[in-house]
Amino acid sequence: MRRLDQLLTNLGYCSRREARAWLKAGRVTVRGAPATDPGQKVLPADIRIDGEPPDHPDNLLLMLHKPTGLVCSHDEREGPNVYSLLPPRWRQRYPAVTSIGRLDKDTSGLLLLTDQSPLVHRLTSPKHKVPKIYRTLVDRNLPPGLAALFASGTLMLPGEKDACAPATLDVLSEREAEITLTEGRYHQIRRMFASQGCEVVELHRTRFGALELGNLAAGQWRELPLDYFA
Ligand code: URA
């Protein structure tokens, strides 16, 4: 059970102060009767807001096809973000909807979003070794021996004290490859290629664990069952 006003604010409907006004205006009912006490303890299933059940009262788990040009940070100073693609109410929720790991502004593809921080920690921890698959295009022919180097677990990136975990590189053409990582360091793929003299010009994530982006269009998202990763 949660306080009614807290439920409304946490689900992104309104502020605590506005909740009082919503109750006065008769917009909220509890088990069919107009609610009058903002502090009343309620179950989400018992309330209606403007006649509708509350919007996703439990949690959110989404798979988004991130387009390039948007950042995963909530900080507006870093530019337009992926959360702008979600319904406005979901952007006001608490806990906030956040990405599970990040993709760079110039990277597209499969991005998971949730408001469940334990899930974020579980799926981003290198301990869990969730494989993530990216397609990449570089600015020159891939140097020989790159797959063996990436697989070796010895590649050191400038400024880091631990070698990159072994990564699988499947060469698709002279300048294109698919790369599988089980960790997620800052700009990792761009830096791995840069360390060998190649600039990544396109980067797109196609898979996250068993999840595939499939034909979800850029900018679109779909919900996943909350127990998908249970
Ligand atoms: N590696 C990168 O360099 N960028 C990403 O967005 C993801 C992995």
Side-chain angles (χ1 to χ4, degrees), residues 102-104 107 134 181 185-191 203:
R102 288 186 175 193
L103 292 176
D104 303 335
T107 303
Y134 300 80
L181 296 187
R185 304 183 190 196
Y186 179 70
H187 288 178
Q188 182 165 348
I189 293 177
R190 296 177 198 280
R191 291 163 66 217
L203 188 57

Coordinates of all heavy atoms in Angstrom, one line a residue, residues 102-104 107 134 181 185-191 203, ligand 1:
R102 N 24.9 2.3 -21.6 CA 24.7 3.4 -22.5 C 25.2 3.1 -23.9 O 26.0 2.3 -24.0 CB 25.4 4.6 -22.0 CG 24.8 5.2 -20.7 CD 25.5 6.5 -20.3 NE 24.8 7.1 -19.2 CZ 25.0 8.3 -18.7 NH1 25.9 9.1 -19.3 NH2 24.3 8.8 -17.7
L103 N 24.6 3.8 -24.8 CA 25.1 3.8 -26.2 C 25.5 5.3 -26.5 O 24.8 6.2 -26.0 CB 24.1 3.4 -27.2 CG 23.6 1.9 -27.2 CD1 22.5 1.6 -28.2 CD2 24.8 0.9 -27.4
D104 N 26.6 5.4 -27.2 CA 27.1 6.8 -27.5 C 26.0 7.5 -28.3 O 25.2 6.9 -29.0 CB 28.3 6.8 -28.4 CG 29.5 6.0 -27.7 OD1 29.5 5.9 -26.5 OD2 30.3 5.5 -28.5
T107 N 25.9 6.2 -31.8 CA 25.6 4.7 -31.9 C 24.1 4.5 -32.0 O 23.4 5.2 -31.2 CB 26.2 4.0 -30.7 OG1 27.6 4.2 -30.6 CG2 26.0 2.5 -30.8
Y134 N 27.4 -6.0 -31.8 CA 27.4 -4.7 -32.5 C 27.9 -4.9 -34.0 O 28.8 -5.7 -34.2 CB 28.4 -3.7 -31.9 CG 28.1 -3.3 -30.5 CD1 28.5 -4.2 -29.4 CD2 27.5 -2.1 -30.1 CE1 28.3 -3.9 -28.1 CE2 27.3 -1.8 -28.8 CZ 27.7 -2.7 -27.8 OH 27.4 -2.3 -26.5
L181 N 30.8 -8.1 -27.3 CA 31.5 -7.7 -26.0 C 30.7 -8.3 -24.8 O 29.5 -8.4 -24.9 CB 31.5 -6.2 -25.8 CG 32.2 -5.3 -26.8 CD1 32.1 -3.9 -26.2 CD2 33.7 -5.7 -26.9
R185 N 32.8 -0.7 -21.4 CA 33.6 0.4 -21.0 C 33.2 1.6 -21.8 O 32.7 1.5 -22.9 CB 35.1 0.1 -21.1 CG 35.5 -1.1 -20.3 CD 37.0 -1.3 -20.5 NE 37.3 -2.6 -19.9 CZ 38.5 -3.0 -19.6 NH1 39.5 -2.1 -19.8 NH2 38.8 -4.2 -19.2
Y186 N 33.6 2.8 -21.3 CA 33.3 4.0 -22.0 C 33.9 4.0 -23.5 O 35.1 3.7 -23.7 CB 34.0 5.2 -21.2 CG 33.8 6.5 -21.8 CD1 32.6 7.2 -21.8 CD2 34.9 7.2 -22.4 CE1 32.4 8.4 -22.4 CE2 34.8 8.4 -23.0 CZ 33.5 9.1 -22.9 OH 33.4 10.3 -23.5
H187 N 33.0 4.2 -24.5 CA 33.4 4.2 -25.9 C 34.3 3.0 -26.3 O 35.2 3.1 -27.1 CB 34.2 5.5 -26.2 CG 33.4 6.7 -26.2 ND1 33.9 8.0 -26.4 CD2 32.1 7.0 -26.1 CE1 33.0 8.9 -26.4 NE2 31.8 8.3 -26.2
Q188 N 33.9 1.9 -25.7 CA 34.9 0.7 -25.8 C 35.2 0.3 -27.2 O 36.4 0.1 -27.5 CB 34.3 -0.5 -25.0 CG 35.3 -1.6 -25.0 CD 35.0 -2.7 -24.0 OE1 34.2 -2.5 -23.1 NE2 35.6 -3.8 -24.1
I189 N 34.2 0.1 -28.0 CA 34.5 -0.4 -29.4 C 35.3 0.7 -30.2 O 36.3 0.3 -30.8 CB 33.2 -0.8 -30.1 CG1 32.6 -2.0 -29.3 CG2 33.4 -1.1 -31.5 CD1 31.3 -2.5 -29.9
R190 N 34.8 1.9 -30.1 CA 35.6 3.0 -30.8 C 37.0 3.0 -30.4 O 38.0 3.1 -31.2 CB 34.9 4.3 -30.5 CG 33.5 4.4 -31.1 CD 32.8 5.8 -30.8 NE 31.4 5.6 -31.0 CZ 30.8 5.7 -32.1 NH1 31.4 5.9 -33.2 NH2 29.5 5.5 -32.2
R191 N 37.3 2.8 -29.0 CA 38.7 2.9 -28.5 C 39.4 1.6 -28.9 O 40.6 1.7 -29.2 CB 38.6 3.1 -27.0 CG 38.2 4.5 -26.7 CD 37.8 4.7 -25.2 NE 38.9 4.5 -24.4 CZ 38.8 3.9 -23.2 NH1 37.6 3.4 -22.8 NH2 39.8 3.8 -22.4
L203 N 28.3 2.5 -35.9 CA 28.2 1.5 -34.9 C 26.7 1.3 -34.5 O 26.0 2.3 -34.2 CB 29.0 2.0 -33.6 CG 29.2 1.0 -32.5 CD1 29.9 -0.3 -33.0 CD2 30.1 1.6 -31.4
Ligands
URA1 N1 31.2 0.9 -27.8 C1 31.3 2.2 -28.2 O1 32.4 2.7 -28.5 N2 30.2 2.9 -28.2 C2 29.0 2.4 -27.9 O2 28.0 3.1 -27.9 C3 28.9 1.1 -27.4 C4 30.0 0.3 -27.4

